[in-house]
Amino acid sequence: GIELTESNFCQTNSFNPVATSREGIYVCGAFQGPKDIPYSVMEASAAAAKAKELLSESRGTKTREKQFPKEKDVLSEPPRIGVFVCNCGTNIGGIVDVPSVAEYARSLPGVVYVEENLFTCAQDTQDKMKEVIEKENLNRVVVAACSPRTHEPLFQETIQRAGLNKYLFEMANIRNQCSWVHSDQKDEATEKAKDLVRMAVARANLIKPIAERRIPVIQGALVVGGGVSGMRAALNLAGQGFEVHLVEATESLGGNALKLNRTWQGEDIQAALSRMVEKVEKHPLISVYKGTNVKHSGGFVGNYETVLSGGNGEFSVKHGVVILAMGGTEFKPKEYLYGDDPSVLTHLELDQAIRSSDEKVKKADTVVFIQCVGSREPQRPYCSKVCCTHTMEAALELKEMDPEKAIYVLYRDIRTYGRREELYREARGKGVIFIRYGLDHKPQVAREDGTLVVRCLDHVLGREISLRPDLVVLASGIVPGEYQEMAKIFKVPLNQDGFFMEAHAKLRPVEFATDGMFMAGLAHYPKPLEESIAQAEAAASRASVILSKQEITVEGMVSHVNELLCRGCGECEEACPFGAIAVYEAQGIKRAKVQEALCKGCGACAVACPTGAAGLYHAEDTEVMTMVEAALRD
């Protein structure tokens, strides 16, 4: 019962990109329209965000927390290691002689039990493993199977069910690192599998239980940027029942959308924006700080404190997550007579001129659009994504004013992707002329005898043509704002183009690598309005995963500093990519300290430390070197 487009995709509008025509039914991915993986993932989280908002009153009412038995104290016991060797069907067993590997494992120090499994990750095998641990009184477990990246949490949960600390587990990857890469060398693959098992067992003899700390969560969010993205993220979080601090550097909400007229689907942006601003300013859970800047921020996921500076001086707010949605900036070109001739405008300036019924637009008989101004050039190689569509919208709007207007589009490639292709087809049908150019023959704009002249090489005719427009409109690209200071304050990275960089381009497109930090809108990369809104709601969705918890667990495999060896040189602080370690001075003595909630266990500090004071729980020097020695052992 939901509406579809003429092409049989799901019908949505730009201001609710994942909402169908029926309340409570949401859409994401390619059914909404052709799109790539990152946008599909964003929409999936955005759809979840809308569902969360609708169901917020019942959040947590059906939740049951997984219960584990009390952990056994095995620290004083000698190692009793159980080794489980997996065939993984034929993935491992078709190459590696698994029975031989299992037999070899029985000869290794500390091993008291060995078992060969067809699929170690299967539920019945997991249940049996729990029973074996209890029956054989095992206090260390080694699984020789596939990748710990995908399966380690599963096995750790199994040993927890048997009463062991999850860190008393070690995994040997004899599939990805052995059978898959040595499929033509079965004997050698078997020997290598034995090497990997020997290394895992050697380390298992030394590993110790690690306690995981639980820290309380401040159930509020800081959203930096009061444009459409920031406001939508704030509204969704507030709709879920969380307090939001919305910070905007200027004196008005709306950002770049204040300069736009209509979406590519024809919706009135200014009317929708006014409703959004009103809703934000009246929402009881949203505190809006206009004319305010971020001065400093500290803390970690679930527990941040940020200092703001505005009309009332400096003050601080506490919050559990951060969403950066500071918008982008229109590129101001230094070519095509821009800034020197009033008849040369950018896209945004044209929208404002149309909105104000400017006479030079109404009276223009000939209009020339020049595409890719400031984009897809050596200094800015990326596509700004919105320019081609905006040109089609503007050209059609000018044709509506007067069908006799002569409109030319000088382009490098037309990128009206997905359903926007309909606009391109409509523009061509209404007589808009398209002329292609290359970087080596860019158009030239001059004023001769009081008239604008645009010269370009027509690649079809193979000759230069001259146009005498009344108006030249530059499809100016989107460039990043001044994000460097904000990146330093929140300790988040920028990419080579100057936009904020996500943790994973496809799978984590709204998250920073630092837990509790998210991004949305043009601060991430150039994108149209509906994609910015979807990403804002996706960021709110991911943020609410943290905010919905009373407390969060900090991973045990984190850095630590031996204060007796530390001399406070700061090498570890400089090496840490997550800002988890810092040097403090007390009573004239400098020492490094680790904020465990920020640490990702990468070990960079341990490598950088010249005295050996910095180390990593569950990857101590002795454990790692024991594995190296086991690998080299004949």
Side-chain angles (χ1 to χ4, degrees):
I2 59 175
E3 293 179 14
L4 302 179
T5 68
E6 291 180 3
S7 306
N8 285 329
F9 291 104
C10 184
Q11 181 67 61
T12 60
N13 72 63
S14 300
F15 285 89
N16 284 291
V18 297
T20 70
S21 56
R22 290 187 61 190
E23 187 176 3
I25 298 178
Y26 305 103
V27 62
C28 55
F31 178 44
Q32 192 273 340
K35 55 179 61 72
D36 55 4
I37 292 172
Y39 190 11
S40 296
V41 174
M42 287 180 204
E43 282 189 334
S45 289
K50 299 299 287 184
K52 289 176 185 179
E53 189 175 358
L54 199 64
L55 301 172
S56 60
E57 290 185 6
S58 60
R59 183 177 60 241
T61 57
K62 300 283 187 179
T63 301
R64 288 186 301 165
E65 190 171 344
K66 191 172 289 185
Q67 299 292 326
F68 294 107
K70 185 179 179 181
E71 283 186 9
K72 302 172 186 175
D73 183 4
V74 301
L75 197 57
S76 60
E77 297 177 3
R80 290 182 57 82
I81 302 171
V83 179
F84 298 82
V85 187
C86 186
N87 280 272
C88 198
T90 58
N91 271 302
I92 297 172
I95 307 298
V96 173
D97 183 351
V98 172
S100 175
V101 175
E103 187 60 34
Y104 175 73
R106 290 186 175 91
S107 68
L108 298 173
V111 175
V112 297
Y113 182 85
V114 177
E115 185 176 291
E116 179 188 340
N117 309 117
L118 182 61
F119 290 105
T120 310
C121 60
Q123 185 59 52
D124 57 342
T125 310
Q126 294 295 291
D127 294 338
K128 184 182 178 184
M129 186 185 294
K130 171 183 175 293
E131 293 173 5
V132 167
I133 293 170
E134 294 171 341
K135 181 181 177 182
E136 300 293 334
N137 197 27
L138 303 180
N139 56 26
R140 308 284 192 282
V141 173
V142 172
V143 171
C146 54
S147 171
R149 191 180 182 97
T150 56
H151 282 70
E152 185 176 52
L154 171 68
F155 297 126
Q156 286 180 327
E157 183 180 308
T158 297
I159 73 169
Q160 282 182 286
R161 287 167 49 211
L164 293 181
N165 183 279
K166 64 185 279 190
Y167 293 99
L168 295 173
F169 173 79
E170 180 62 19
M171 200 164 178
N173 189 347
I174 63 171
R175 185 189 70 177
N176 305 45
Q177 296 176 356
C178 191
S179 65
W180 277 2
V181 290
H182 303 296
S183 57
D184 296 330
Q185 302 165 292
K186 295 187 177 183
D187 291 341
E188 289 84 349
T190 298
E191 291 306 309
K192 182 174 179 180
K194 292 178 181 178
D195 290 343
L196 292 169
V197 170
R198 183 171 68 248
M199 292 165 66
V201 169
R203 184 169 184 270
N205 274 280
L206 298 178
I207 55 178
K208 300 173 184 177
I210 303 174
E212 294 182 324
R213 286 200 306 120
R214 297 180 72 85
I215 54 176
V217 173
I218 300 170
Q219 294 180 311
L222 175 73
V223 180
V224 183
V228 168
S229 297
M231 287 193 289
R232 282 307 286 265
L235 283 170
N236 184 267
L237 286 171
Q240 293 187 54
F242 302 117
E243 184 182 6
V244 180
H245 303 281
L246 181 61
V247 179
E248 169 56 40
T250 68
E251 295 296 336
S252 58
L253 299 176
N256 285 300
L258 291 168
K259 304 171 185 176
L260 297 171
N261 293 342
R262 296 187 178 277
T263 69
W264 71 275
Q265 298 185 91
E267 299 123 329
D268 187 334
I269 291 177
Q270 295 308 308
L273 189 61
S274 296
R275 292 192 293 270
M276 190 185 298
V277 170
E278 182 181 11
K279 196 172 180 181
V280 166
E281 292 184 330
K282 289 184 176 181
H283 203 293
L285 291 178
I286 302 176
S287 300
V288 180
Y289 308 103
K290 299 177 189 176
T292 302
N293 294 292
V294 177
K295 303 299 289 184
H296 173 74
S297 186
F300 47 88
V301 56
N303 290 263
Y304 291 106
E305 183 169 1
T306 300
V307 177
L308 306 176
S309 176
N312 297 322
E314 289 193 358
F315 58 100
S316 66
V317 293
K318 294 182 178 181
H319 49 97
V321 297
V322 178
I323 298 177
L324 301 182
M326 296 175 295
T329 305
E330 183 187 42
F331 175 69
K332 298 297 184 182
K334 296 181 180 178
E335 55 185 339
Y336 304 126
L337 295 185
Y338 179 76
D340 298 324
D341 194 304
S343 296
V344 180
L345 309 175
T346 65
H347 265 169
L348 293 182
E349 290 166 351
L350 175 66
D351 269 21
Q352 289 176 299
I354 291 173
R355 193 156 67 243
S356 62
S357 300
D358 195 316
E359 287 297 314
K360 67 183 174 187
V361 176
K362 295 168 80 173
K363 293 180 178 179
D365 294 322
T366 303
V367 180
V368 171
F369 288 85
I370 301 177
Q371 300 302 107
C372 294
V373 177
S375 294
R376 301 178 64 217
E377 296 190 350
Q379 63 271 36
R380 241 169 268 102
Y382 58 86
C383 170
S384 290
K385 198 169 185 178
V386 300
C387 319
C388 288
T389 302
H390 196 287
T391 291
M392 302 307 139
E393 295 171 47
L396 289 169
E397 194 164 1
L398 292 173
K399 280 288 188 181
E400 274 183 35
M401 290 182 191
D402 180 4
E404 299 303 315
K405 285 184 188 289
I407 298 176
Y408 298 86
V409 177
L410 310 186
Y411 73 99
R412 287 175 59 196
D413 296 288
I414 294 295
R415 294 184 170 182
T416 48
Y417 58 95
R419 291 166 51 203
R420 291 163 174 78
E421 193 75 2
E422 297 165 10
L423 294 176
Y424 176 45
R425 187 166 59 247
E426 186 181 351
R428 290 182 69 93
K430 291 191 175 180
V432 177
I433 305 299
F434 292 83
I435 302 170
R436 191 172 191 176
Y437 75 90
L439 268 181
D440 51 345
H441 291 97
K442 293 175 69 173
Q444 301 296 315
V445 180
R447 185 167 280 279
E448 299 175 3
D449 301 325
T451 305
L452 274 175
V453 179
V454 179
R455 293 186 174 88
C456 64
L457 179 69
D458 188 308
H459 77 290
V460 176
L461 300 175
R463 57 181 289 185
E464 185 181 86
I465 59 173
S466 295
L467 305 170
R468 294 185 175 273
D470 303 297
L471 208 60
V472 173
V473 182
L474 306 180
S476 186
I478 296 171
V479 295
E482 298 296 325
Y483 303 147
Q484 290 83 357
E485 187 61 30
M486 204 63 67
K488 290 179 183 176
I489 289 173
F490 290 106
K491 299 179 180 66
V492 292
L494 301 174
N495 65 20
Q496 61 186 7
D497 297 314
F499 294 98
F500 287 113
M501 187 165 69
E502 67 285 296
H504 191 288
K506 293 183 184 292
L507 304 181
R508 297 175 65 192
V510 302
E511 301 167 59
F512 288 102
T514 302
D515 287 343
M517 297 277 185
F518 306 90
M519 69 188 82
L522 299 182
H524 179 213
Y525 63 72
K527 55 177 70 70
L529 185 71
E530 68 269 30
E531 191 172 339
S532 292
I533 290 173
Q535 189 179 20
E537 291 177 339
S541 177
R542 303 305 300 148
S544 69
V545 172
I546 296 168
L547 297 182
S548 62
K549 299 173 182 176
Q550 296 294 326
E551 56 183 16
I552 56 176
T553 303
V554 177
E555 276 293 317
M557 190 173 173
V558 294
S559 174
H560 62 88
V561 176
N562 184 334
E563 292 191 0
L564 295 176
L565 296 177
C566 179
R567 66 186 188 194
C569 66
E571 292 289 336
C572 55
E573 182 178 8
E574 189 175 329
C576 180
F578 305 103
I581 191 165
V583 175
Y584 298 90
E585 186 170 347
Q587 298 178 341
I589 300 174
K590 290 183 176 181
R591 293 287 185 270
K593 290 187 178 180
V594 178
Q595 179 48 262
E596 294 180 354
L598 289 173
C599 182
K600 295 292 184 182
C602 69
C605 56
V607 176
C609 180
T611 65
L616 197 65
Y617 290 123
H618 204 53
E620 304 288 1
D621 288 354
T622 52
E623 297 170 9
V624 175
M625 293 310 298
T626 296
M627 293 182 76
V628 173
E629 291 166 4
L632 299 175
R633 194 179 306 149
D634 187 358

